[in-house]
Amino acid sequence: LFPIEVVGQFSSLLADDLMRQAQELEDSMSGLPQEEKAALRAQANGLKSQARSTRNTLFFSNQQMESSRKSALRTMDRSTRSLVYQAESLMNQYEQLLSQRQIVAKSVELAQKARDLQVQMEAQGMAVDADVLSAAAQLSSAQDQLSTMDNGIARLKGVLYSFAGVREGQNPEIGPVPGADPAAIASIDLEGDLNKAVNNNSNVISMRSGGSSQSVVEQQLVKSTTVKKNKLRDTEYTENQVRSNVQTLYDDILEKKALYDSASTAWQSAQNTWNAAQVQRQTGMLSDIQYLQQELAYLQAKSGMECADLNLQQSMRSYEWAVKGVEVSAQ
């Protein structure tokens, strides 16, 4: 098998040779009887016909090759965009797990302190075995939860490394996800983006063009009135699906923005409470366990704010990718 470029060059040379042979036959007709001239002319015309056929085949082959090249580039572009979107989504999930881990780790610390306190109280006759066993069970449960989360974080980190092409044994640092930009929501042109999403969607593009994989018979059938109507109906249905999906993604942005605002308010309140807890701790008004409980509440509000920010950021990115034509399913 030869590369298509080599075959193309050979076909072009063959067509030129056939035309040369035809011209030589025509040049040799001078002085020949009419019957021989007619026979040679027929041969010359046959050679010219073969040359034209070869050139036409080469022309359409070049067209098909260029079409295939463009199709391959479009497919590669869609695949690349889809992979980038998936990597962004996984990175967002990874960042949220790291944020939530603070809560679980502090829960383990609190459970450990509670269990130690129960052991001390039991030694002083102020607690029974059941209290110690209950505290130990809560500690074990918190430790199991932390271990499960750490395993999940490690697996997700490995997936992100594979996306980035990190080799085994390497351990590069993963930076934070950029924060959301709530102010950018006001500048979203929903109507314009709906049209962009439709025009950029690969399924719609394929249906509008008839699909590059259609056979000649199928392409001819599309010209019939009934089939053409069905094609237009199916295309319109797909376009409406794309618009509906992008509309849902936009609505999700507004929902995530409301949750972001609520988490921001809770976070500001938690900061005030935590600042007060510092003063109470210094004056001896809070025990170790009470202080850890206040710290846990503070970390919960902090993680809630961080995850709300990450969810809003991901929602906005999903919308942007859908407008660019990436297949993003609205949750």
Side-chain angles (χ1 to χ4, degrees), residues 226-284:
T226 302
V227 176
K228 188 173 183 179
K229 286 182 178 179
N230 291 338
K231 177 178 178 291
L232 292 174
R233 182 195 60 200
D234 293 342
T235 302
E236 183 179 5
Y237 174 76
T238 303
E239 291 174 352
N240 289 335
Q241 278 190 315
V242 173
R243 289 191 180 92
S244 176
N245 188 66
V246 173
Q247 176 69 61
T248 301
L249 289 170
Y250 176 77
D251 294 340
D252 185 70
I253 291 177
L254 300 183
E255 180 183 345
K256 294 300 189 296
K257 176 60 167 59
L259 294 174
Y260 172 91
D261 291 339
S262 177
S264 178
T265 301
W267 167 233
Q268 292 173 5
S269 176
Q271 285 179 302
N272 294 333
T273 303
W274 179 240
N275 291 334
Q278 306 302 308
V279 177
Q280 292 176 325
R281 176 66 171 174
Q282 292 175 359
T283 58

Side-chain angles (χ1 to χ4, degrees), residues 147-159:
S147 177
T148 299
M149 177 165 282
D150 282 340
N151 290 334
I153 290 173
R155 286 194 296 270
L156 192 50
K157 188 176 185 179
V159 174

Side-chain angles (χ1 to χ4, degrees), residues 5-6 17 43 94 97 101 120 126 128 133 149 151 173 200 226 258 270 310 313:
E5 291 84 358
V6 176
D17 186 60
Q43 291 182 29
Y94 176 78
L97 284 177
R101 188 190 184 281
Q120 293 175 8
M126 300 174 62
V128 297
L133 292 174
M149 177 165 282
N151 290 334
E173 181 180 355
N200 291 331
T226 302
L310 287 165
Q313 193 263 8

Side-chain angles (χ1 to χ4, degrees), residues 189-200:
D189 176 14
L190 178 59
E191 193 60 34
D193 287 343
L194 290 175
N195 293 328
K196 289 179 183 177
V198 169
N199 293 330
N200 291 331

